[in-house]
């Protein structure tokens, strides 16, 4: 049983009661409400049933319906969720048949059906009903709407849409504080649910919310009320996450006393859940005997209550699987994990151990994923410790393949990028395990090619799935025939959301923040509703959006130009895998990461920044040895697909371990040996290499340089950018190409957001950039303010631009950096530009010097426009860097290495 918002408002509207004039029946109804609020749910149910029957006899259909709904609330609190669902459904049918214009009662019915379905483990059905309730409730602040928001928050939390859950809970809390006060029971309920939502991500913050809840509940209700018990269970979970096992155990035991007093010897979901918590806490603290007794007791009670099929039964089996796994008893662990999987599937029974379940009809998709992962790991460990049979490894690998399929299904349920990035982090661990097992199976005779390709496929699955989906979504809109006015409506919603996010980030006043959060909540809800309707009305859009085909080794070999090699990296927990793809096939290099792996990229960057040549050489040579395999002699260009922290370093600056020299320019850099470009995934590379329709452009290049910046930005004047633009303009004009050059105030944010941006083949921004690592959508480049625009072009705004350029160059600081998201890569300005339509990018990896940047950019365009060798961007950028490297003034990697090419 998941913790839920435990008590719903009992009176739909006082105006309903005024319709009934009998003080006697009114008193009976009030007594029933009071009985409920005291925690006597069985007694309240009987009272509501009795007074409801009287209302029906008297023809008071509104009050009869209200009593039916209150009876459903009682059954929820008693843990009888099927009964509560039936009562609420019957009430809804009665309301629809016998009453008119009763949106409030209809909304309450849908809300109770949704809460019942949530407790029955059907999140999808719960969400459908709760969203209908949200639609029907009047939008002015009310206890009923706040409760609906809470239930929606819990449903989204149950689907691991944590950011969205927090938004709903915060909205409900704000509404309840306004209506009832900051120390009210209703506010306490919101604090409780916020605490639940934070437990896994931030248990310390969770404990703060839950401690506040406990204080409110105990002050208003005493220490033995059911609400207090629920709060203590959640507080115990937070303490468990903080490794405060003694405190957690004490809290759980105090809850057991409350339930024993209330339920006696009867089975009840609350008692089973508490036994489960007791077992988990003992397991985490290493008290195995006590853990097994509690977990077995919890499982048997759940089965007596629900039968063999229920998410809580599944969870009980999973905890017992973990119990045996932690003791290295792999066969018992596998058995319980299997039972956990099938208890989570509504219409499937276990088959043979090699038979895989069908990924359909599940109660809780995230719990199913965790059970599958645990089962696969148990099979791998059983192979290593006991059997040494490849068949057991194969079962593990097949199960991880199912995890991959399920991850694709879960991704469709995630509502925003932050929650998708959390999923990518969990998925990365799945792919790490799958790659390791694939390489173990590749040691079998004649199996190397097959399993190496399987390993690569898993690695590719870990690369930028969120970005790939976003790009697929954009293309899907074009192919699905969605009308322009709907695209414009979506753009309007996205622009407003981006604007409100910026305002919220800049605000420091609590009152203003709350107002902005309220507006943001409204627009985000409207955007979700818009996308849901779009997917329903245009099924082709839905199919294309979620049908991203990953590139295979064969696809990449066909796409690779002559002399090219792909080096795709995967950071495992302890190993670094390098996948090298050439025209001749696939090779995999598998090396230990070493204790200082995470420090090496930082060490390289710091040595470059602070001009410490000895430290630079040491780091650059160590990374070359780790990252660059022996390459075939016919290779002259490398496509680097980095992973994790490797996305923060310029591979061109790595130094061949055999080289040495007194000056920087004497060293043999990777740049000396190869053209180098980058990409986010092999699939994006393959897509980039496909013949595309000619991009219609009427202008050749747009040059933008604000030069001077408002003092409030803290950004220095960039005098060199004016020369940079003038020189690039002359180069293009010398090649009979059209140029739009905008300096100073003309380099405005308003112009970039205007309707002509998609007319340019090249976009060049010579300006400052600022990376916001914790909130990548707030990363920005600085332009000139005008016409109501502040001059800050945020990443969130770039996503909404319409770019048609072959190349976008950000001649600005750190524009290639951002948040390093596990399983997704660097999240920042580069991704936004690719999403907006840029085919190739030049961005920087650290703060750059004004003069050297201008020199590099001028030389790049000269090489690109006038050198036959450098017609492609990678060659032009390499030649411009080599030119700088050979000079006395700019030979340090600090000057030439930061700018990298994403693309070809």
């Amino acid at each position: 049983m998941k913790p839920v918002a435990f008590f719903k408002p009992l009176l739909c509207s006082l105006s309903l009661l005024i319709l009934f004039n009998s003080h006697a029946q009114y008193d009976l109804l009030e007594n029933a409400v009071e009985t409920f609020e005291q925690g006597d749910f069985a007694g309240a149910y009987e009272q509501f049933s009795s007074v409801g029957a009287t209302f029906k006899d008297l023809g008071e259909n509104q009050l009869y319906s209200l009593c039916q709904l209150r009876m459903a609330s009682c059954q929820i609190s008693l843990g009888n969720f099927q009964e509560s669902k039936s009562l609420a459904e019957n009430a809804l049918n009665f309301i629809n048949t016998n009453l008119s214009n009763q949106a409030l009662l209809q909304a309450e019915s849908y809300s109770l059906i949704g809460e019942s379905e949530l407790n029955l483990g059907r999140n999808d059905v719960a969400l459908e009903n709760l969203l209908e309730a949200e639609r029907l409730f009047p939008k002015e602040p009310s206890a009923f709407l706040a409760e609906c928001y809470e239930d929606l928050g819990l449903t989204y939390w149950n689907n691991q849409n944590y950011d969205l859950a927090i938004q709903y809970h915060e909205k409900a809390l704000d509404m309840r504080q306004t209506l009832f006060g900051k120390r009210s029971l209703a506010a306490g309920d919101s604090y409780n649910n916020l605490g639940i939502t934070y437990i896994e991500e931030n248990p310390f913050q969770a404990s703060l919310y839950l401690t506040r809840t406990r204080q409110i509940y105990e002050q208003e209700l005493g220490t033995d009320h059911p609400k207090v018990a629920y709060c203590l269970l959640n507080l115990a979970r937070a303490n468990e996450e903080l490794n405060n096992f003694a405190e957690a155990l004490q809290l759980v035991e105090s809850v057991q006393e409350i339930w024993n007093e209330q339920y006696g010897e009867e089975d009840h979901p609350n008692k089973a859940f508490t036994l489960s918590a007791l077992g988990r806490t003992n397991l985490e603290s290493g008290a195995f005997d006590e853990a097994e007794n509690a977990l077995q007791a919890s499982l048997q009670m759940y089965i007596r209550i629900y039968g063999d099929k229920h998410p809580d039964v599944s969870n009980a089996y999973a905890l017992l699987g973990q119990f045996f796994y932690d003791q290295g008893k792999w066969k018992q662990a596998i058995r319980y994990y299997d039972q956990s999987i099938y208890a989570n599937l509504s219409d499937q029974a276990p088959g043979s151990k090699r038979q895989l379940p069908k990924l359909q009809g599940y109660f809780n998709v995230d719990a199913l994923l965790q059970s599958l992962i645990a089962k696969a790991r148990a099979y791998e460990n059983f192979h290593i410790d006991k059997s040494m049979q490849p068949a057991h490894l194969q079962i593990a690998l097949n199960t991880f393949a199912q995890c991959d399929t399920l991850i694709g299904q879960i991704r469709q349920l995630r509502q925003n990028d932050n929650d998708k990035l959390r999923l990518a982090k969990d998925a990365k661990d799945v792919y790490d395990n799958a790659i390791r097992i694939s390489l173990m199976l590749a040691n079998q005779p004649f199996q190397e090619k097959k399993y190496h390709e399987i390993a690569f496929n898993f690695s590719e699955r870990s690369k930028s799935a969120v970005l790939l989906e976003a790009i697929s979504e954009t293309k899907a809109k074009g192919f699905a025939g969605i009308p322009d006015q709907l695209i414009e409506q979506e753009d309007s919603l996205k622009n407003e959301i981006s604007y409100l996010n910026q305002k919220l980030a800049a605000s420091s006043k609590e009152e203003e923040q709350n107002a902005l959060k309220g507006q943001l909540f409204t627009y985000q809800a409207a955007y979700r509703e818009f996308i849901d309707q779009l997917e329903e009305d245009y099924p082709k859009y839905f199919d294309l959006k979620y049908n991203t085909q990953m590139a295979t080794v064969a696809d990449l070999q066909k796409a690779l130009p002559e002399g090219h090699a792909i080096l795709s990296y995967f950071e495992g927990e302890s190993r670094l895998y390098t996948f090298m793809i050439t025209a001749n096939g696939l090779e995999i290099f598998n090396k230990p990461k070493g204790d200082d792996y995470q420090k090496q990229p930082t060490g390289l960057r710091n040595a470059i920044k602070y001009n410490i040549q000895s430290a630079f050489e040491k780091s650059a040579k160590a990374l070359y040895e780790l990252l660059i395999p022996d390459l075939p002699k016919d290779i002259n260009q490398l496509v680097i697909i980095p992973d994790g922290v490797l996305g923060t370093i310029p591979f061109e600056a790595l130094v061949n371990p055999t080289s040495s020299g007194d000056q920087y320019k004497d060293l043999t850099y990777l740049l000396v040996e190869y053209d180098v470009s980058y990409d986010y995934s092999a699939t994006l590379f393959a897509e980039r290499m496909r013949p595309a329709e000619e991009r219609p452009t009427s202008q050749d290049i747009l040059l933008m340089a604000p030069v001077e910046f408002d003092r409030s930005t803290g950004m220095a004047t960039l005098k060199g950018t004016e020369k940079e633009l003038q020189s690039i303009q002359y180069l293009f004009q010398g090649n009979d190409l059209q140029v739009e050059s905008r300096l100073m105030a003309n380099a405005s944010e308003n112009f970039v957001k205007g309707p002509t941006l998609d007319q340019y083949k090249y976009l060049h921004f010579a300006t400052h950039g600022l990376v916001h690592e914790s909130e990548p959508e707030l990363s920005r480049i600085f332009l000139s303010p005008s016409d109501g625009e502040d001059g800050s072009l945020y990443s969130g705004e770039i996503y909404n631009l319409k770019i048609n350029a072959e190349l976008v160059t950000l001649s600005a600081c750190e524009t290639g950096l951002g948040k390093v998201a596990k399983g997704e890569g660097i999240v920042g300005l580069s991704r936004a530009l690719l999403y907006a339509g840029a085919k190739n990018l030049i961005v920087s990896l650290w703060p750059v010097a004004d003069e050297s940047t201008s020199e590099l950019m001028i030389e790049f365009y000269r090489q690109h426009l006038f050198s036959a060798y450098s017609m492609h961007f990678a060659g032009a950028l390499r030649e411009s860097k080599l030119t700088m490297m050979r000079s006395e003034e700019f030979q340090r990697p600090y000057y030439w290495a930061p700018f990298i090419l994403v693309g070809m």
Side-chain angles (χ1 to χ4, degrees):
M1 175 180 172
K2 289 281 187 183
V4 294
F6 307 107
F7 300 120
K8 300 186 72 64
L10 291 185
L11 299 180
C12 244
S13 171
L14 289 177
S15 62
L16 293 179
L17 296 178
I18 294 171
L19 296 172
F20 189 71
N21 296 318
S22 168
H23 290 290
Q25 297 303 322
Y26 180 83
D27 289 343
L28 290 174
L29 186 56
E30 277 197 325
N31 289 339
V33 170
E34 186 177 344
T35 302
F36 184 97
E37 290 178 344
Q38 290 173 349
D40 182 4
F41 309 123
Y45 178 87
E46 294 300 327
Q47 289 175 303
F48 282 123
S49 177
S50 176
V51 73
T54 302
F55 287 145
K56 187 175 184 182
D57 292 340
L58 294 170
E60 295 289 348
N61 290 339
Q62 288 175 309
L63 291 170
Y64 167 70
S65 301
L66 178 64
C67 287
Q68 291 292 110
L69 294 174
R70 301 289 59 83
M71 289 163 65
S73 292
C74 292
Q75 291 297 343
I76 285 177
S77 297
L78 288 166
N80 301 325
F81 306 119
Q82 195 62 54
E83 289 84 347
S84 64
K85 175 187 169 185
S86 296
L87 282 163
E89 288 176 338
N90 291 339
L92 180 61
N93 290 333
F94 183 86
I95 293 163
N96 290 337
T97 303
N98 297 284
L99 297 169
S100 58
N101 301 320
Q102 290 296 322
L104 193 58
L105 285 172
Q106 290 172 324
E108 181 73 359
S109 302
Y110 280 114
S111 184
L112 283 163
I113 294 168
E115 187 173 352
S116 301
E117 294 285 12
L118 176 61
N119 281 281
L120 288 167
R122 292 302 304 270
N123 272 31
D124 51 346
V125 184
L127 186 60
E128 182 181 335
N129 281 278
L130 290 168
L131 288 173
E132 181 63 15
E134 181 186 22
R135 187 185 69 82
L136 288 168
F137 273 126
K139 292 303 178 280
E140 63 268 13
S142 69
F144 326 118
L145 182 57
E147 190 67 25
C148 181
Y149 285 157
E150 286 288 11
D151 284 342
L152 278 164
L154 288 159
T155 307
Y156 283 123
W157 167 69
N158 222 16
N159 281 334
Q160 295 192 17
N161 283 301
Y162 294 130
D163 277 23
L164 194 52
I166 288 169
Q167 289 178 32
Y168 270 98
H169 290 318
E170 287 182 340
K171 183 71 173 177
L173 174 62
D174 181 59
M175 198 173 286
R176 285 170 166 175
Q177 287 178 332
T178 301
L179 291 168
F180 307 115
K182 293 187 176 182
R183 300 286 301 179
S184 64
L185 283 172
D189 291 344
S190 290
Y191 289 130
N192 178 72
N193 290 322
L194 277 165
I196 293 168
T197 309
Y198 276 106
I199 281 176
E200 292 186 10
E201 291 288 312
N202 189 343
F204 180 75
Q205 179 65 53
S207 67
L208 294 178
Y209 277 122
L210 292 167
T211 299
R212 192 177 305 172
T213 305
R214 182 181 185 179
Q215 291 169 351
I216 292 172
Y217 283 173
E218 290 185 345
Q219 179 179 333
E220 297 295 323
L221 303 169
T223 58
D224 58 354
H225 193 277
K227 278 197 175 188
V228 175
Y230 292 127
C231 174
L232 296 182
L233 280 174
N234 296 328
L235 194 55
R237 186 77 178 94
N239 273 280
E240 185 183 321
E241 288 291 320
L242 292 166
N243 294 325
N244 298 330
F245 298 116
E247 176 70 14
L249 197 61
Q250 184 178 355
L251 289 165
V252 174
E253 288 172 346
S254 64
V255 172
Q256 281 189 303
E257 294 177 8
I258 295 174
W259 296 148
N260 289 336
E261 180 69 25
Q262 180 156 349
Y263 303 118
E265 298 298 319
E266 295 179 18
D267 289 338
H268 191 278
N270 288 341
K271 292 176 69 176
F273 183 79
T274 306
L275 283 168
S276 176
L278 182 65
R280 187 182 58 243
T281 304
N282 278 309
L283 178 59
E284 293 294 328
S285 63
F288 291 115
D289 289 343
E290 293 86 347
E292 183 176 16
N293 291 336
L295 293 174
Q296 289 286 3
S298 171
L299 172 63
Q300 297 309 315
M301 189 177 295
Y302 272 135
I303 291 173
R304 290 194 297 270
I305 296 169
Y306 296 126
D308 294 328
K309 299 283 186 179
H310 191 272
D312 288 337
V313 175
S314 173
N315 184 59
Y317 277 124
L319 283 170
L320 279 161
Q322 182 186 338
F323 169 80
F324 288 107
Y325 186 100
D326 288 351
Q327 297 177 84
K329 297 178 179 179
W330 313 120
K331 291 183 74 172
Q332 294 96 317
I334 289 167
R335 184 171 70 250
Y336 277 105
Y337 286 135
D338 246 344
Q339 289 172 306
S340 172
I341 289 165
Y342 284 99
N344 202 351
L345 300 170
S346 61
D347 56 357
Q348 297 179 55
S352 69
K353 66 180 181 180
R354 298 192 183 206
Q355 180 180 335
L356 296 172
K358 296 176 183 177
L359 302 180
Q360 60 190 35
Y362 38 72
F363 294 113
N364 187 307
V365 65
D366 295 285
L368 179 60
L369 175 63
Q370 294 306 315
S371 295
L372 287 167
I373 292 171
K375 175 186 172 181
R377 286 175 173 164
Y379 261 113
E380 181 190 1
N381 285 318
F382 182 56
H383 162 83
I384 294 170
D385 284 358
K386 301 288 184 183
S387 75
M388 295 304 292
Q389 294 182 24
H392 292 139
L393 276 184
Q394 188 64 56
I395 293 172
L397 185 63
N398 292 344
T399 305
F400 277 126
Q402 278 208 306
C403 293
D404 173 48
T405 301
L406 201 59
I407 286 165
Q409 295 180 20
I410 295 172
R411 192 169 282 118
Q412 297 180 26
L413 301 175
R414 293 293 182 263
Q415 297 288 330
N416 61 40
D417 279 356
N418 282 339
D419 289 320
K420 289 177 181 179
L421 291 174
R422 287 191 186 94
L423 175 62
K425 181 179 178 182
D426 293 339
K428 182 72 180 286
D429 294 332
V430 169
Y431 302 132
D432 186 9
N433 285 282
I435 290 169
R436 184 181 61 253
I437 293 171
S438 297
L439 296 184
M440 292 168 69
L441 285 166
N443 292 324
Q444 298 176 92
F446 311 111
Q447 298 295 313
E448 182 178 271
K449 183 175 184 295
K450 170 186 174 182
Y451 285 105
H452 275 193
E453 291 188 359
I454 289 173
F456 171 75
N457 291 340
F458 278 117
S459 171
E460 182 62 14
R461 292 285 184 187
S462 76
K463 295 291 194 299
S464 300
V466 178
L467 177 60
L468 283 167
E469 181 188 306
I471 292 173
S472 294
E473 179 184 8
T474 301
K475 292 178 180 177
K477 288 169 188 166
F479 287 118
I482 297 172
D484 289 343
Q485 62 266 28
L486 288 179
I487 300 296
E488 291 170 7
Q489 184 181 346
E490 180 188 16
D491 288 344
S492 176
L493 287 168
K494 288 163 67 178
N495 284 330
E496 193 64 33
I497 289 169
S498 176
Y499 170 75
L500 290 169
N501 270 319
Q502 295 161 31
K503 293 281 288 182
L504 184 59
S507 175
S508 58
K509 298 178 181 178
E510 184 178 356
E511 185 176 343
E512 183 183 28
Q513 287 177 346
N514 289 337
L516 288 167
K517 284 181 179 180
Q519 295 176 57
L520 189 59
F521 178 89
T522 300
Y523 275 99
Q524 287 176 331
Y527 181 67
R528 288 191 299 274
E529 185 176 344
F530 175 85
I531 293 298
D532 288 344
Q533 193 64 49
L534 210 62
E535 292 179 352
E536 182 178 333
D537 293 344
Y538 297 90
K540 187 177 180 182
Y541 162 67
F542 179 86
D543 292 340
L544 290 169
K545 175 179 176 180
Y546 294 113
N547 191 26
T548 303
Q549 296 295 318
M550 309 302 289
T552 64
V553 173
D555 294 333
L556 294 167
Q557 287 182 285
K558 290 177 185 177
L560 274 173
E562 184 179 351
H564 283 55
I566 294 173
L567 295 180
S568 181
Y569 298 88
F570 183 94
E571 289 184 354
E573 185 176 349
S574 59
R575 312 287 296 183
L576 178 70
Y577 303 98
T578 304
F579 297 86
M580 181 175 75
I581 300 174
T582 64
N584 296 323
L586 167 68
E587 288 187 69
I588 302 177
F589 304 89
N590 174 7
K591 295 182 179 181
K593 287 165 65 174
D595 295 338
D596 60 346
Y597 173 79
Q598 292 293 333
K599 299 177 183 177
Q600 286 183 348
T602 304
L604 178 73
R605 289 169 56 85
N606 286 339
I608 292 174
K609 180 178 179 180
Y610 296 110
N611 191 21
I612 308 172
Q613 185 172 342
S614 59
F616 164 73
E617 278 195 54
K618 182 179 178 181
S619 295
K621 288 180 177 180
L623 284 167
Y624 188 111
E625 198 162 17
L626 176 67
L627 298 174
I628 308 302
D630 290 334
L631 291 155
K633 295 193 185 316
D634 61 342
I635 298 300
N636 54 50
Q637 180 160 342
L638 302 180
V639 179
I640 305 294
I641 301 173
D643 192 24
V645 71
L646 298 181
T648 67
I649 63 171
F651 278 61
E652 298 99 310
L654 302 183
V655 176
N656 193 310
T658 62
S659 76
S660 61
D662 294 331
Q663 297 188 65
Y664 282 106
K665 63 182 179 180
D666 297 330
L667 299 172
T668 305
Y669 298 97
L670 188 70
L671 179 71
V672 175
E673 302 171 304
Y674 305 98
D675 291 353
V676 179
S677 62
Y678 299 79
D679 224 319
Y680 281 97
S681 76
T683 299
L684 279 173
F685 169 80
E687 183 70 24
R688 197 187 306 281
M689 299 306 296
R690 287 185 186 138
E693 295 182 10
E694 187 69 24
R695 295 185 167 204
T697 57
S698 57
Q699 302 284 331
D700 285 303
I701 189 168
L702 172 65
L703 302 169
M704 302 280 287
V707 184
E708 297 178 352
F709 303 88
D710 188 277
R711 187 174 298 176
S712 64
T713 66
M715 296 295 163
T717 298
L718 295 175
K719 294 181 180 179
T721 58
E722 186 170 0
K723 173 193 170 186
E724 181 180 327
L725 258 64
Q726 290 173 347
S727 298
I728 295 171
Q729 179 178 343
Y730 295 150
L731 289 170
F732 272 79
Q733 290 173 338
N735 213 352
D736 294 327
L737 298 173
Q738 294 180 308
V739 180
E740 172 81 17
S741 182
R742 302 184 72 86
L743 283 166
M744 309 290 285
N746 288 326
S748 67
E749 180 185 359
N750 188 62
F751 181 83
V752 171
K753 290 181 175 179
T756 62
L757 193 66
D758 63 352
Q759 298 178 11
Y760 299 96
K761 185 176 181 180
Y762 301 86
L763 299 175
H764 183 94
F765 297 89
T767 182
H768 283 296
L770 187 64
V771 170
H772 199 302
E773 291 192 10
S774 61
E775 296 182 73
E777 68 275 9
L778 298 181
S779 297
R780 52 183 157 157
I781 58 175
F782 290 91
L783 298 170
S784 296
S786 66
D787 300 327
E789 299 288 358
D790 62 4
S792 291
L793 184 63
Y794 287 90
S795 178
E797 295 175 301
I798 293 173
Y799 275 99
N800 300 329
L801 297 179
K802 299 294 185 291
I803 294 176
N804 199 27
E806 286 292 314
L807 176 68
V808 176
T809 301
L810 295 185
S811 178
C813 301
E814 296 186 308
T815 49
L817 292 182
K819 178 180 179 179
V820 180
K822 184 177 179 180
E824 188 63 21
I826 302 291
V827 181
L829 293 167
S830 301
R831 295 163 60 89
L833 287 162
L834 288 173
Y835 176 83
K839 189 172 181 183
N840 301 279
L841 303 172
I842 292 178
V843 291
S844 64
L845 295 178
W846 57 74
V848 289
D850 187 15
E851 183 182 356
S852 61
T853 298
S854 294
E855 293 289 334
L856 178 65
M857 291 301 161
I858 295 166
E859 182 64 20
F860 164 73
Y861 285 108
R862 190 185 72 78
Q863 291 286 343
H864 174 58
L865 293 172
F866 295 100
S867 170
Y869 169 74
S870 301
M871 284 301 291
H872 65 288
F873 301 127
L877 188 58
R878 175 173 178 252
E879 287 301 313
S880 62
K881 288 182 176 183
L882 288 172
T883 299
M884 296 193 70
M885 184 196 305
R886 295 177 188 127
S887 72
E888 289 297 327
E889 187 176 3
F890 299 126
Q891 64 175 285
R892 283 174 51 197
Y894 172 78
Y895 296 111
W896 54 262
F899 287 98
I900 63 170
L901 171 70
V902 180
M904 292 294 291

